[in-house]
Amino acid sequence: MDGRRPVGWWVRRLDELLEQGLDDVVAAEGLGRRHWQVLQSVAEGQADRAAVSASLASFAGAGELDGVLADLGGRGWLTAEGERLQLTADGRTAHARLAAAVGAFRRSVAAGMTEEEYAQTVAGLARMVANLERTRAGGG
């Protein structure tokens, strides 16, 4: 491992590999990462379109979200009554199947790390994000 690279390089490379790896996991179902994110968001209780849209704002624009919602609806995995989104029985089954595969992928990402090391890594990244957001907001 090249420890001389700056954190930005590692974050970008990790993001690329996470995107590719998760896309590979969900591709077995003919899905993309956004499909998984929507299924997970709705399963976690974000039951309206605005909440799902807000949680995915950094990842997907409204047009992409509309396409994903239409695809999941077409598969019979998701229903929409107005702004309210709900997984169907088939959607809950698909979510459970995908959650198992995504969980295995996530465990492989952290292989060789203790729970403490993982928590420290996430906490350090969260602190860096907070620092940069504060700086961008003019808080120094």
Side-chain angles (χ1 to χ4, degrees), residues 5-25:
R5 295 189 188 269
V7 69
W9 187 92
W10 290 110
V11 169
R12 184 169 177 92
R13 183 65 181 138
L14 178 61
D15 181 61
E16 290 169 356
L17 292 169
L18 289 171
E19 283 278 341
Q20 292 166 2
L22 196 49
D23 277 343
D24 290 346
V25 168

Side-chain angles (χ1 to χ4, degrees), residues 69-88:
L69 292 173
D71 186 50
L72 293 173
R75 292 168 182 260
W77 293 0
L78 184 75
T79 60
E81 293 181 23
E83 289 292 305
R84 182 163 170 67
L85 304 173
Q86 187 171 339
L87 295 181
T88 64

Side-chain angles (χ1 to χ4, degrees), residues 96-115:
R97 186 173 56 247
L98 286 162
V102 168
F105 169 71
R106 287 180 175 159
R107 285 187 297 279
S108 75
V109 169
M113 296 178 82
T114 66
E115 287 183 33

Side-chain angles (χ1 to χ4, degrees), residues 19 22 32-42 44 46 52 55-56 59-60:
E19 283 278 341
L22 196 49
R33 185 174 186 183
R34 303 307 160 241
H35 289 84
W36 163 248
Q37 289 172 313
V38 168
L39 284 171
Q40 180 67 4
S41 293
V42 175
E44 288 178 336
Q46 294 176 9
V52 171
S55 71
L56 299 182
F59 303 101

